[in-house]
Amino acid sequence: MGIRQFLDIGTGLPTTDNTHEVAQRVDPSCRIVYVDSDPIVLAHAHALLNTLEGATDYIDADVHDPDTILRGAAVTLDFDQPIAITMLGVLNLVTDTDEAEAIVRRLLNAVPPGSHLVYWNGQGSAPMTLRSHTDLVRLFDITHFGGVGLNR
């Protein structure tokens, strides 16, 4: 039967093919709870949730407070059925390793057998190249901007 419930912790700003879109495309009965503590994410989530069909919710909570996350998620998710917990690019923001371990342990102890934890421990930002002032001047040749140049 597979996983039909998702707890997406540290969801970030909505993009295309969010967890609920992918999961509910496969099975409209899937239940999804998004978690984030960023007020900008909250504003976007409320706008997004007004347009959704199916069981999707958003919790304004911080990864450092797994008990609040679990209480809020229990409104939408059935903790007697398997849940996929996703922590994509958020667990690495918990800088204390003992605290990160305690958070993961608390979350996993709350879900039944057959549940999964998906995490990504990346850098949290896109690859970038830092450029010198000389390189930037070359990129933004002032002749293309009507003589407007870069400030030094």
Side-chain angles (χ1 to χ4, degrees), residues 94-111:
V94 180
T95 56
D96 182 272
T97 302
D98 291 337
E99 181 184 10
E101 182 181 344
I103 290 167
V104 170
R105 187 179 314 115
R106 176 67 183 104
L107 293 169
L108 292 180
N109 284 340
V111 296

Side-chain angles (χ1 to χ4, degrees), residues 61-122:
D62 191 279
V63 67
H64 296 275
D65 189 0
D67 289 325
T68 297
I69 292 170
L70 293 169
R71 274 193 308 277
V75 172
T76 303
L77 303 180
D78 177 357
F79 278 79
D80 291 327
Q81 298 298 316
I83 297 171
I85 300 171
T86 61
M87 302 181 82
L88 305 177
V90 70
L91 196 55
N92 57 321
L93 300 177
V94 180
T95 56
D96 182 272
T97 302
D98 291 337
E99 181 184 10
E101 182 181 344
I103 290 167
V104 170
R105 187 179 314 115
R106 176 67 183 104
L107 293 169
L108 292 180
N109 284 340
V111 296
S115 294
H116 296 274
L117 171 66
V118 180
Y119 68 94
W120 175 63
N121 199 33

Side-chain angles (χ1 to χ4, degrees), residues 117-140:
L117 171 66
V118 180
Y119 68 94
W120 175 63
N121 199 33
Q123 296 294 323
S125 63
M128 65 177 71
T129 300
L130 298 177
R131 292 183 171 87
S132 69
H133 178 75
T134 303
D135 290 337
L136 289 173
V137 169
R138 196 173 54 150
L139 287 174
F140 298 101

